[in-house]
Amino acid sequence: MLRTGARAGVALLLGASLGTALTAKRADAQTAPAPVVRIEGSSTVFPIMEAAAKAFQERPGGPPVSIALKETGSSGGLRSFCRGEIPISNSSRPINSKELKACAARGVRFIELPLAFDAISVVVNPRNTWASRISTAQLSSLWNRKAQGRIQRWKQVNPAWPDRPISLCGPGKDSGTFDYFNKAINGDSGNSRSDYTASEDDNVLVRCVEKNPQALGYFGFSYYRSQGGRLKALEIAGPRGAWLPSVNNVQRERYQPLSRPLFVYVNDKDLRERPEVRRFITFTVQRGLRFTEQAGAIPLPKDTYRIVESKLYRHLLGTSFGGDLPIGLTISQAIRRSFAEIRSTSPR
């Protein structure tokens, strides 16, 4: 599974300044440059959109279009999106109030499309023989701002664990995973220690844990799942018991509070005026279940993707979350909230 443009063996898919570029190779592309659809944002949503972009390039017929994907973190993508610089932004959290104001100031109107679900996974190196479960309280004691420079050994988190140094790996501040994890675990999206290996690229965090038996990290479920036995996930002891991150545990609404919806934001003006944007996002939503499964993420219920299509076709603008960052939403709660406006505008 591809994760960034700089992977060995995929040189034909590389883009220079725009990150991973997936460019159609058709004879008619010689006559005029293909229009480019730029997409930035969440590394958690990236694998889904990468699968969609690859399939879109390989589809038979249709005019050539280049899809340029870049992992900048949810906040980074939404900054560019609200400045009107890109037509599509991936996000692992709902758009926040500051971003809503920025979009409004630039006249950017958008459609919010839920695409999948995620289980933020807390992982350790497989050579870690002592940790198999961690509570939300223990996670907070390890990751909150007050832990910086103080909580540096495994034994300080759990007295039963060894007196060894702990090495932390986690998302950077532009990541929606950073925001969500800290809101869920530490009560505030900005309440995090900063003395850890940080990156908006989940591949960096995967390697950070894989190479160090003393490491602990957190990132999106598909990155943990794609590593097979090279990472070990911890059970999270939360409000509904202790559960591992898995498709089944999220779909059965047990993995709390670290499950969350994933989104794509589309500029409505670009959607109406740029056929290549409309074709790509329609292609993606129509096959959302397939691309989510290919990426190793957690799909929404099958019939929900038809409702997402309806939201797109009807140009239902704005966010269903009011600039808030809701924590612990189950799939059914997120669906009800995301599609409330469809019910409110349906003929009676």
Side-chain angles (χ1 to χ4, degrees):
M1 184 181 298
L2 302 176
R3 281 294 183 261
T4 70
R7 294 291 181 270
V10 292
L12 76 162
L13 302 180
L14 293 183
S17 62
L18 295 178
T20 301
L22 301 168
T23 306
K25 290 193 166 188
R26 299 189 178 92
D28 58 358
Q30 303 297 322
T31 60
V36 178
V37 177
R38 293 179 58 199
I39 307 169
E40 298 181 10
S42 167
S43 61
T44 307
V45 184
F46 180 93
I48 302 172
M49 298 301 281
E50 185 179 45
K54 186 174 187 295
F56 186 74
Q57 299 304 291
E58 295 172 351
R59 77 198 192 286
V65 177
S66 292
I67 309 297
L69 285 167
K70 189 175 182 181
E71 296 173 276
T72 59
S74 298
S75 298
L78 285 167
R79 273 199 302 273
S80 297
F81 181 78
C82 288
R83 288 194 294 256
E85 296 171 353
I86 57 173
I88 300 172
S89 181
N90 303 327
S91 185
S92 61
R93 58 163 176 79
I95 189 170
N96 65 33
S97 57
K98 181 179 178 181
E99 292 155 351
L100 285 173
K101 291 177 182 177
C103 277
R106 294 293 185 100
V108 173
R109 287 154 45 101
F110 61 83
I111 301 173
E112 176 184 75
L113 301 173
L115 201 59
F117 239 71
D118 183 43
I120 297 178
S121 302
V122 179
V123 302
V124 296
N125 188 286
R127 285 177 285 175
N128 180 319
T129 59
W130 56 90
S132 59
R133 175 184 299 185
I134 192 167
S135 70
T136 54
Q138 288 169 331
L139 280 173
S140 181
S141 73
L142 177 62
W143 279 100
N144 80 83
R145 190 181 293 115
K146 293 180 180 179
Q148 182 160 327
R150 294 192 313 105
I151 308 300
Q152 298 177 313
R153 306 185 74 81
W154 284 95
K155 189 176 183 67
Q156 292 175 282
V157 181
N158 184 332
W161 292 343
D163 188 17
R164 299 179 186 176
I166 189 169
S167 178
L168 297 176
C169 317
K173 292 182 178 179
D174 269 351
S175 168
T177 305
F178 174 93
D179 295 333
Y180 192 95
F181 179 88
N182 286 297
K183 178 76 178 292
I185 297 300
N186 298 323
D188 184 274
S189 60
N191 182 10
S192 173
R193 65 191 300 165
S194 60
D195 54 341
Y196 65 95
T197 299
S199 177
E200 277 73 25
D201 182 350
D202 286 2
N203 296 286
V204 173
L205 307 181
V206 166
R207 292 192 294 271
C208 180
V209 178
E210 281 183 342
K211 69 183 182 181
N212 187 350
Q214 307 302 324
L216 177 146
Y218 70 91
F219 41 78
F221 175 71
S222 66
Y223 288 84
Y224 153 66
R225 192 181 192 188
S226 69
Q227 298 308 303
R230 294 190 293 273
L231 294 171
K232 182 175 84 171
L234 301 185
E235 290 184 349
I236 303 300
R240 302 196 178 187
W243 301 98
L244 285 168
S246 72
V247 173
N248 185 55
N249 285 337
V250 170
Q251 290 181 336
R252 295 185 67 177
E253 305 185 343
R254 300 187 294 205
Y255 189 74
Q256 293 292 336
L258 294 180
S259 62
R260 56 177 177 165
L262 304 176
F263 301 92
V264 172
Y265 288 88
V266 185
N267 184 305
D268 189 56
K269 184 174 186 290
D270 287 317
L271 184 66
R272 293 177 185 274
E273 297 180 1
R274 296 181 58 187
E276 65 274 16
V277 173
R278 183 170 60 254
R279 285 196 297 269
F280 173 70
I281 201 66
T282 300
F283 178 90
T284 298
V285 170
Q286 286 176 339
R287 298 160 182 80
L289 176 64
R290 168 185 153 193
F291 297 141
T292 299
E293 290 179 335
Q294 284 181 0
I298 299 169
L300 302 172
K302 185 175 182 179
D303 58 357
T304 300
Y305 289 98
R306 290 195 293 271
I307 308 175
V308 178
E309 284 187 64
S310 176
K311 193 172 187 178
L312 176 64
Y313 296 151
R314 293 168 63 177
H315 291 265
L316 294 178
L317 301 176
T319 177
S320 300
F321 298 89
D324 187 23
L325 180 57
I327 297 301
L329 285 183
T330 64
I331 286 183
S332 60
Q333 289 169 337
I335 289 171
R336 285 197 301 271
R337 189 160 176 175
S338 293
F339 304 122
E341 63 267 65
I342 290 181
R343 292 193 300 272
S344 67
T345 58
S346 297
R348 297 184 182 277

